Amino acid sequence: MGGQLDVSAYYAAPKDEATKDWVMQQTMFRVKDPKRSLDFYTKVLGMQLITVGDFPQWGFTVFFVGYPPEKDLGPVPENDADKFAYCMKVPGCVELTWNHGSEAEDADRVYNTGNADSTGSKDGEAVKGGFGHIGITVPDVYAACQRFKDMGAEFTKSPNAGGMKGLAFVKDPDGYLVEVLPLGKGFPFPTQDTDCCGVSLSGGEGYADNSKKK
Amino acid sequence: MGGQLDVSAYYAAPKDEATKDWVMQQTMFRVKDPKRSLDFYTKVLGMQLITVGDFPQWGFTVFFVGYPPEKDLGPVPENDADKFAYCMKVPGCVELTWNHGSEAEDADRVYNTGNADSTGSKDGEAVKGGFGHIGITVPDVYAACQRFKDMGAEFTKSPNAGGMKGLAFVKDPDGYLVEVLPLGKGFPFPTQDTDCCGVSLSGGEGYADNSKKK
């Protein structure tokens, strides 16, 4: 395709009435230790724990976190059964799956996180991973990143590092990447002279965050 | 933790005012061939192509697909710059990343899809993958799955197969799993006597979809 694909037919396609109420509700990944993950997603990223599904017969528990659109859906219900049903209407939840016992494993990170990670491969070699990251959009990327920095988050790209300015990547406790992007903005993204890691706008060339490319 | 975690403190935590406008906007994974992926996501899953980001200097293009909440955000804009900014407000988009040239590789699937996939490992062995699946919620799981079946989708679990009734898993062209769940419902999920694959409600025991467990 020579790096080109004509997408005009996809843009021009009429909306499918049969799928107009469908919701992209979840992204599931496994986590080693649910407590450290819930701390990160609810305290650092500021999501809410919406519902929990416990399946002792299969040895796992799932925790749904996200930013529920309360102005459309109302507040998260108090009752457990109602919480789950409500969650099934919330777009963009993250389903954190805990396989019971993983928290006791020796390694700090036990699951392959996609990208070119070697975790979880039998030979210890990097895997050509398909999954790249989740991403959140926020009114002020620089302020959000200052919050993450203050809370001890690990950055793989601060807003001013690398070739694409005004976006960042942090790691969750298992090493999954979380992109931080400006809410409702196009290119060029808003920038500030210095970011939370002290990197100036002229800092770094290239696209060094290792998140998009193979 | 013995398979138990007390989540009451997470449920009781006050909402974080600083993050109330944040959006879980995207899940990114790499695809071999953008045309076959766009056909699947827009035609089979009925998503819209919202925006495209082309980065020839880095050798990749990204395609954002999803179900935009038009009643809140209005229709997707016509103008390219406006499309991108709009997309940055849409929760639960899927960002399909095409590394230019991947479409010409011999193998039908080239990226590790998470779970226990062996694709993309150097030794051909299964990887302990963290990423599990994305999931959509739909008003009628059985009707949606009939649509997917009619359009040639590959099922790893039809609604009546396995131990958990009323939800399904299909594969996208790269092998990534897509869960199909009932919109706004709790357990037990609605069921029908026979599903699109001819499986009756009594069909199959255990939880055989291989998507949650290690």
Side-chain angles (χ1 to χ4, degrees), chain A residues 10 15-16 23 25-28 30 39 46 70 72 88 112 115 120 128 130 132-133 135 137 147 179 211, chain B residues 10 15-16 19 23 25-28 30 39 46 70 72 88 112 115 120 128 130 132-133 135 137 147 211:
Chain A
Y10 296 102
K15 262 185 303 179
D16 193 332
V23 173
Q25 190 268 335
Q26 65 180 245
T27 299
M28 185 284 256
R30 298 166 184 83
D39 283 346
E70 299 199 333
D72 298 326
M88 291 297 111
N112 191 277
N115 304 308
K128 190 168 175 173
H133 56 258
T137 52
R147 168 193 173 103
E179 190 170 10
S211 68
Chain B
Y10 297 101
K15 262 186 302 180
D16 192 332
T19 67
V23 173
Q25 191 267 335
Q26 65 181 245
T27 299
M28 186 284 255
R30 299 165 182 84
D39 283 347
E70 299 199 333
D72 297 325
M88 291 296 111
N112 191 276
N115 302 309
K128 190 168 176 172
H133 58 258
T137 52
R147 168 193 172 103
S211 66

Side-chain angles (χ1 to χ4, degrees), chain A residues 1-5 7 10-11 15-16 18-19 21-30 33-35 38-39 42-43 45-52 54-55 58-63 67 70 72 80 83-85 88-89 91-92 94-95 97-100 103 105 110-112 115 119-123 125-139 144 147-148 163-164 176 179 181-187 189 206-207 211-214, chain B residues 1-5 7 10-11 15-16 18-19 21-30 33-35 38-39 42 45-52 54-55 58-63 67 70 72 80 83-85 88-89 91-92 94-95 97-100 103 105 110-112 115 119-123 125-139 144 147-148 163-164 176 179 181-187 189 206-207 211-214:
Chain A
M1 301 180 187
Q4 296 289 325
L5 177 70
V7 295
Y10 296 102
Y11 277 148
K15 262 185 303 179
D16 193 332
T19 67
D21 296 324
W22 294 15
V23 173
M24 206 331 258
Q25 190 268 335
Q26 65 180 245
T27 299
M28 185 284 256
F29 38 75
R30 298 166 184 83
D33 180 333
K35 182 166 187 319
L38 286 172
D39 283 346
T42 65
K43 293 173 185 171
L45 296 190
M47 294 182 179
Q48 289 184 63
L49 174 63
I50 303 172
T51 192
V52 178
D54 194 31
F55 301 93
W58 293 309
F60 67 83
T61 303
V62 297
F63 305 86
Y67 302 111
E70 299 199 333
D72 298 326
D80 275 350
K83 280 180 191 294
F84 192 92
M88 291 297 111
K89 297 186 287 187
V94 178
E95 180 186 14
T97 294
W98 170 38
N99 289 304
H100 303 160
E103 76 283 1
E105 293 187 43
V110 299
Y111 292 115
N112 191 277
N115 304 308
T119 309
S121 67
K122 297 255 189 341
D123 57 1
E125 296 284 328
V127 175
K128 190 168 175 173
F131 177 70
H133 56 258
I134 60 169
I136 62 172
T137 52
V138 304
R147 168 193 173 103
F148 303 152
M164 212 180 277
Y176 299 110
E179 190 170 10
L181 294 146
L183 180 73
K185 300 290 185 187
F187 296 102
F189 291 158
Y207 189 66
S211 68
K212 288 286 198 317
K213 284 284 290 182
K214 35 200 136 171
Chain B
M1 302 180 188
Q4 296 289 326
L5 178 69
V7 295
Y10 297 101
Y11 277 149
K15 262 186 302 180
D16 192 332
T19 67
D21 296 324
W22 294 16
V23 173
M24 205 330 258
Q25 191 267 335
Q26 65 181 245
T27 299
M28 186 284 255
F29 38 77
R30 299 165 182 84
D33 179 333
K35 182 167 188 317
L38 286 172
D39 283 347
T42 66
L45 295 191
M47 293 182 180
Q48 289 185 61
L49 174 63
I50 302 172
T51 192
V52 178
D54 194 32
F55 301 92
W58 293 308
F60 67 82
T61 303
V62 297
F63 305 87
Y67 302 112
E70 299 199 333
D72 297 325
D80 275 350
K83 280 180 192 294
F84 192 92
M88 291 296 111
K89 296 184 288 186
V94 179
E95 180 185 15
T97 293
W98 170 38
N99 288 304
H100 303 160
E103 74 284 1
E105 293 187 44
V110 299
Y111 292 114
N112 191 276
N115 302 309
T119 308
S121 67
K122 296 255 188 341
D123 57 1
E125 296 284 329
V127 175
K128 190 168 176 172
F131 177 70
H133 58 258
I134 60 168
I136 61 172
T137 52
V138 304
R147 168 193 172 103
F148 302 152
M164 211 180 278
Y176 298 110
E179 189 171 11
L181 295 145
L183 180 72
K185 302 288 186 187
F187 295 103
F189 291 159
Y207 189 66
S211 66
K212 289 285 199 319
K213 283 285 289 179
K214 31 202 140 171

Side-chain angles (χ1 to χ4, degrees), chain B residues 143-200:
Chain B
C145 286
Q146 186 64 55
R147 168 193 172 103
F148 302 152
K149 177 90 175 162
D150 293 344
M151 290 181 165
E154 177 185 352
F155 284 82
T156 61
K157 179 195 176 310
S158 67
N160 286 348
M164 211 180 278
K165 305 301 183 186
L167 66 83
F169 282 90
V170 295
K171 278 190 177 179
D172 94 341
D174 290 274
Y176 298 110
L177 286 177
V178 180
E179 189 171 11
V180 187
L181 295 145
L183 180 72
K185 302 288 186 187
F187 295 103
F189 291 159
T191 55
Q192 293 181 15
D193 286 345
T194 306
D195 69 23
C196 61
C197 294
V199 180
S200 74

